[in-house]
Amino acid sequence: MTAATTLAAMPVIAMILSLPYRGLEENLGGIITLVLFVLPLILILILVCLLSGMPAALVILVGEALRIRSVLFYVPAGAAIGAFIWRITVGANHPLGLLFGLAGALAGIAYWFAAGKYAGEEGQPER
């Protein structure tokens, strides 16, 4: 079982483990749910930010600094970030890895539509 699968299973495990403790006055069910459900979600948030947010921020900074406005820059960069995330989390060559690349490419298109086509411009873009 990979780390990503384990983290994804933690909320289910927390709910199952906390069921016998629901009626106790010490509220152990709430504590178990907090430890096994909320803390892994915070860990997942941090991992997602590190694995996708930081590379995306780097691509955005490069695009802004070099005033790159082409969708042909942002789409492959997004696909590369998606493939990178798949390789880091799963570490295997698998057809599902293509979906991560596709999701990254779509994210690159979405960023280009939102702001990339105005890269390097000062002030608010005219719409």
Side-chain angles (χ1 to χ4, degrees):
M1 190 181 291
T2 65
T5 307
T6 304
L7 284 175
M10 289 304 285
V12 174
I13 294 169
M15 296 310 290
I16 292 170
L17 290 177
S18 66
L19 287 175
Y21 301 104
R22 294 272 176 191
L24 296 178
E25 293 181 22
E26 293 88 21
N27 198 13
L28 289 177
I31 293 170
I32 289 175
T33 301
L34 175 72
V35 169
L36 292 176
F37 184 69
V38 175
L39 295 179
L41 288 179
I42 293 171
L43 181 61
I44 290 169
L45 175 68
I46 292 169
L47 286 175
V48 166
C49 288
L50 287 176
L51 289 176
S52 64
M54 299 301 283
L58 181 65
V59 168
I60 291 168
L61 287 174
V62 168
E64 286 290 326
L66 299 177
R67 297 177 183 236
I68 300 172
R69 297 182 184 174
S70 174
V71 72
L72 297 176
F73 171 74
Y74 294 104
V75 171
I81 292 170
F84 169 74
I85 292 170
W86 174 263
R87 192 73 170 148
I88 293 297
T89 57
V90 178
N93 290 332
H94 193 274
L96 288 177
L98 294 174
L99 293 178
F100 274 69
L102 177 63
L106 293 175
I109 291 172
Y111 177 76
W112 180 80
F113 271 117
K117 58 184 168 183
Y118 306 111
E121 288 184 6
E122 297 295 326
Q124 297 292 327
E126 294 179 17
R127 295 181 189 220

